[in-house]
Amino acid sequence: MKLSFTSIYTTLHAVGLVNALWPVPRNLETGTSLLKLSPSFDIQFEAGSGWSPPQDLLDAISRTKYRLWNDKLGRLVVGRGEDDREGLESASSLSLLTLTLDSYSHSKSTNDDDSVGSSTSRTILPISVEAVKDIGTRSEEYSLKVPANGGPAVIRANSSLGLLRGLTTFEQLWYWLPGDVDEGDAGGIVYAHQVPVTIEKDYPAFPYRGFMLDTARNFFPVDDIKRVLDTMSLVKMSVFHWHVVDSQSFPLTIPGFEELAKKGAYSRKEIYSSADVQGIVKYAAERGIDVLVEIDTPGHTAIIAKAYPEHIACPDAMPWSQYAHEPPAGQLRLASSATTNFTVSMLSSIAQTLPSTMFGTGGDEINENCYQKDPSTQEDLKRSGATLEKALDSFTQTTHGALRQLGKKVVVWQEMALNHRVSLANDTIIMVWKSSEHATEVAKKGFRIVHAPSDYFYLDCGGGEWFGNYPGTNSWCDPFKSWQKAYAFDPLARFSSAEASLVLGGQQLLWTEQASPENLDPIIWPRAAVSSEVFWTGPHHPSGQFRTVAEALHRLHDVRFRMVQRGVRAIPLQPQWCALRPGQCDSGGLPSTAWGFALKKLTKVIKRYKRIALSLTNNYLERIGYNEL
């Protein structure tokens, strides 16, 4: 019998690539049966008598039901699922998905009134409350079962947030097969192709799975940010790091400091009002995402001079490269007690309006020359007798202390831990950005870590230098950081077992010197989804094998196509021909992953038959009385 490359590949693909879930669950068992979604399909919440679901969980249920019928994603196989049509005629139908809480520890009791005999209702804590708890205390675990016989499917969790994570997994199981031309969408079938499905206690390896967006270099409307949040939720990302202001613009309205946005925004139309901020924070939390707002200090603050010039050293100094990392130059006068008090008031005013337990204060790229050439700063240092580092320490302790009094854990860039002699609280969170190799240095100091290394996770790299007088040159962080590069990142590389507990997770980042609403989606997606799996699944798959690009590609294709169906302008990873034929566009033109799998199987078969042949030979020789001399 002669087997072609294609026939061997097709057979192996049928048994090997059985799911397209992203991120891959901690454990997963699937079958090969088809299951239709009944036209009467419903999702019900069950938690016992007296328990009522929060409104944001009900809203999440409504969104899931809408997406199941409106994603209209065809399977990524040749024919886009047409070969399933005959089998679907006799397939069972799913009519019900039940959401169940395994425990009621994430709940509260409320009395209708204080009178005798008042009724008591027990309410599950909302998703929006669970999502903004301290980063190490959130419960995202869920279990999911989808039977093949049409019996009710079940998602179990310990919290509303866990139920949300289960719903996002459930959504990714379903595909669309259009009806006849005459029927249009009305005759289409929503179905799963790998039931039964069993996922037991899927939970993230790391609680911080983030994405950072800079809205200061260029402004992004609220609707763009909400679309980013929806897509983050699709892949179980948990933190939106909002680098909302910088030297170039100050689009953030801060109560009591409205002049900052009025004079620091690019225009009156490019400002985030207090209502906008609260709307974004609420929208994110309802989708399981904590919003970490960052106001970088004392550097990256030149724009503050437009409203409060008395607090900024070397404003707009030229040549800017001697005074700042990017134009325009300007930094907070950290040696001034008046500026320190101003900064405390400003940060506290916005921080106290935010539910997150984290708040970012930056601390990166402080330019010493700016302070040396600033007469006011030099006078303040001379008067106090302090060095610049001592003044930075005092500024940091005062501003961080005010935030801690508000219950915030402070998040800073790595320079504050590695390059300056400042006193940081033990619970300070350090973002490692300059190089992945610096993470262990931070760990040795005992601080918690968020991986954000430019050599793996910077999405803006690869566009070339944006400075006007450097035509044709690369930027400092080129080349382009492909999804394959990011996927190869090991969060625990070079960490001891004790240090590994300090790793909270990581994020991919978009600095927007060359990004705007017009190219936002293509730059982010689907590359930013990589960190969701890197930090949900961890370095290894449940099988114990390290994550591989070859295995991940088919699943990333699938989630990218689903993003597109939801209105996200995510870029393709390969020609569609390749997306429909996993492995056949590998290097060399052969389905190398399938062939590697085939060779391993073939080797085992040869060894097995060699043992059988040897045994038969020995038996025959014994029967004929042959003895080896």
Side-chain angles (χ1 to χ4, degrees):
M1 178 180 179
K2 185 177 181 180
L3 294 177
S4 66
F5 291 154
T6 302
S7 63
I8 292 178
Y9 159 74
T10 302
T11 301
L12 294 174
H13 173 60
V15 298
L17 298 174
V18 296
N19 82 89
L21 300 179
W22 194 281
V24 65
R26 186 163 295 275
N27 57 77
L28 173 66
E29 295 179 7
T30 62
T32 58
S33 297
L34 299 172
L35 179 68
K36 294 181 291 188
L37 198 67
S38 170
S40 61
F41 173 78
D42 197 12
I43 303 175
Q44 296 179 1
F45 175 82
E46 292 183 1
S49 177
W51 294 92
S52 57
Q55 184 58 49
D56 57 11
L57 178 57
L58 296 176
D59 293 341
I61 290 172
S62 296
R63 290 195 300 272
T64 292
K65 291 166 66 175
Y66 176 84
R67 290 165 180 159
L68 289 172
W69 294 109
N70 290 277
D71 275 358
K72 292 184 170 60
L73 174 64
R75 283 183 60 202
L76 293 190
V77 293
V78 176
R80 302 305 299 271
E82 283 296 329
D83 289 346
D84 298 328
R85 192 176 296 277
E86 182 177 352
L88 286 168
E89 294 179 2
S90 58
S92 299
S93 295
L94 180 68
S95 298
L96 180 63
L97 168 63
T98 299
L99 307 185
T100 303
L101 283 181
D102 285 334
S103 70
Y104 305 133
S105 59
H106 299 262
S107 62
K108 63 179 179 179
S109 296
T110 57
N111 293 324
D112 294 336
D113 54 60
D114 295 329
S115 61
V116 176
S118 63
S119 62
T120 300
S121 63
R122 295 173 290 183
T123 304
I124 310 302
L125 287 180
I127 298 169
S128 57
V129 173
E130 298 282 0
V132 300
K133 286 183 175 181
D134 187 75
I135 188 66
T137 65
R138 301 168 190 170
S139 176
E140 301 183 77
E141 180 183 299
Y142 72 93
S143 298
L144 168 64
K145 290 187 177 182
V146 181
N149 62 2
V154 178
I155 296 175
R156 308 184 69 92
N158 294 320
S159 70
S160 57
L161 180 58
L163 292 175
L164 174 69
R165 301 303 186 213
L167 285 171
T168 59
T169 298
F170 183 79
E171 291 174 13
Q172 292 185 25
L173 295 174
W174 301 89
Y175 296 90
W176 169 262
L177 191 61
D180 295 335
V181 176
D182 295 338
E183 295 177 312
D185 286 352
I189 302 171
V190 175
Y191 71 103
H193 67 96
Q194 54 185 11
V195 295
V197 175
T198 301
I199 298 171
E200 288 290 347
K201 295 185 177 180
D202 186 25
Y203 60 91
F206 302 94
Y208 192 114
R209 306 175 305 282
F211 167 69
M212 191 218 75
L213 179 64
D214 159 26
T215 60
R217 270 77 177 193
N218 282 303
F219 181 83
F220 296 85
V222 172
D223 285 347
D224 287 326
I225 294 175
K226 287 183 175 180
R227 188 175 65 256
V228 169
L229 293 169
D230 279 324
T231 314
M232 290 175 64
S233 185
L234 164 64
V235 292
K236 300 183 179 68
M237 298 174 81
S238 62
V239 180
F240 175 58
H241 176 185
W242 192 2
H243 188 90
V244 62
V245 301
D246 211 292
S247 283
Q248 290 81 7
S249 75
F250 203 110
L252 176 66
T253 300
I254 298 181
F257 296 85
E258 288 80 5
E259 288 295 300
L260 287 170
K262 183 178 180 181
K263 295 184 178 180
Y266 287 126
S267 72
R268 296 174 62 181
K269 293 183 178 180
E270 295 169 294
I271 293 175
Y272 301 109
S273 67
S274 294
D276 289 335
V277 173
Q278 293 304 312
I280 288 170
V281 168
K282 180 176 183 290
Y283 193 90
E286 291 172 345
R287 287 153 180 79
I289 300 168
D290 191 6
V291 177
L292 164 59
V293 170
E294 178 195 352
I295 297 182
D296 207 342
T297 62
H300 292 271
T301 49
I303 196 65
I304 291 176
K306 301 300 180 183
Y308 299 94
E310 66 274 21
H311 294 307
I312 299 299
C314 64
D316 295 320
M318 294 296 286
W320 63 263
S321 58
Q322 296 182 16
Y323 300 92
H325 185 71
E326 286 185 3
Q331 300 177 153
L332 285 167
R333 286 180 168 138
L334 52 76
S336 164
S337 59
T339 299
T340 300
N341 292 335
F342 163 82
T343 306
V344 165
S345 298
M346 176 185 65
L347 296 180
S348 298
S349 180
I350 185 63
Q352 66 187 358
T353 70
L354 303 170
S356 178
T357 61
M358 299 182 290
F359 190 89
T361 61
D364 62 315
E365 298 178 334
I366 300 172
N367 187 288
E368 185 175 342
N369 188 55
C370 172
Y371 291 127
Q372 290 177 344
K373 299 293 179 64
D374 182 57
S376 180
T377 297
Q378 291 303 309
E379 289 179 12
D380 289 329
L381 291 174
K382 184 177 181 180
R383 187 182 306 112
S384 65
T387 62
L388 186 60
E389 281 294 301
K390 181 62 178 177
L392 175 61
D393 183 40
S394 178
F395 175 88
T396 300
Q397 289 197 52
T398 302
T399 53
H400 286 197
L403 291 168
R404 288 176 60 79
Q405 288 183 355
L406 295 174
K408 307 298 183 183
K409 306 292 192 306
V410 181
V411 183
V412 297
W413 298 106
Q414 69 177 70
E415 289 96 321
M416 297 299 282
L418 299 181
N419 302 108
H420 298 292
R421 295 185 296 275
V422 297
S423 301
L424 299 174
N426 291 335
D427 60 2
T428 303
I429 298 170
I430 312 297
M431 290 195 169
V432 179
W433 69 274
K434 286 191 172 183
S435 169
S436 56
E437 296 181 357
H438 295 159
T440 52
E441 296 179 43
V442 175
K444 293 184 187 307
K445 292 178 177 289
F447 293 112
R448 293 187 293 174
I449 295 165
V450 171
H451 287 294
S454 56
D455 50 334
Y456 282 89
F457 288 163
Y458 270 32
L459 298 174
D460 51 297
C461 302
E465 190 56 83
W466 56 271
F467 297 137
N469 59 337
Y470 290 137
T473 60
N474 291 334
S475 72
W476 71 274
C477 70
D478 283 355
F480 181 84
K481 302 302 182 285
S482 68
W483 77 266
Q484 295 95 328
K485 171 74 172 180
Y487 195 74
F489 183 75
D490 183 352
L492 300 180
R494 299 183 297 276
F495 285 90
S496 69
S497 57
E499 293 168 343
S501 63
L502 297 171
V503 178
L504 291 176
Q507 63 181 17
Q508 284 168 280
L509 309 89
L510 178 57
W511 302 102
T512 60
E513 288 89 348
Q514 294 177 296
S516 67
E518 289 73 24
N519 65 345
L520 178 65
D521 288 3
I523 293 179
I524 301 175
W525 306 115
R527 279 192 296 160
V530 167
S531 59
S532 73
E533 178 153 303
V534 169
F535 296 106
W536 179 280
T537 307
H540 300 88
H541 279 178
S543 64
Q545 296 180 334
F546 191 84
R547 288 177 278 100
T548 65
V549 167
E551 185 280 329
L553 177 57
H554 177 70
R555 293 185 294 106
L556 192 57
H557 271 309
D558 197 277
V559 78
R560 178 261 167 187
F561 272 76
R562 195 173 296 273
M563 289 175 182
V564 172
Q565 293 300 106
R566 295 186 182 185
V568 179
R569 297 182 295 276
I571 61 170
L573 301 171
Q574 290 179 315
Q576 185 171 331
W577 190 93
C578 303
L580 302 183
R581 298 166 177 82
Q584 295 199 45
C585 291
D586 289 352
S587 178
L590 296 175
S592 58
T593 302
W595 271 110
F597 179 77
L599 289 174
K600 289 181 181 179
K601 292 292 186 182
L602 185 59
T603 300
K604 290 183 179 180
V605 170
I606 292 173
K607 287 181 178 179
R608 179 186 176 192
Y609 281 102
K610 184 178 180 180
R611 289 195 301 269
I612 294 172
L614 181 61
S615 176
L616 291 173
T617 301
N618 289 334
N619 289 339
Y620 175 74
L621 292 176
E622 289 176 2
R623 288 173 59 188
I624 65 174
Y626 174 80
N627 291 313
E628 184 174 317
L629 295 177

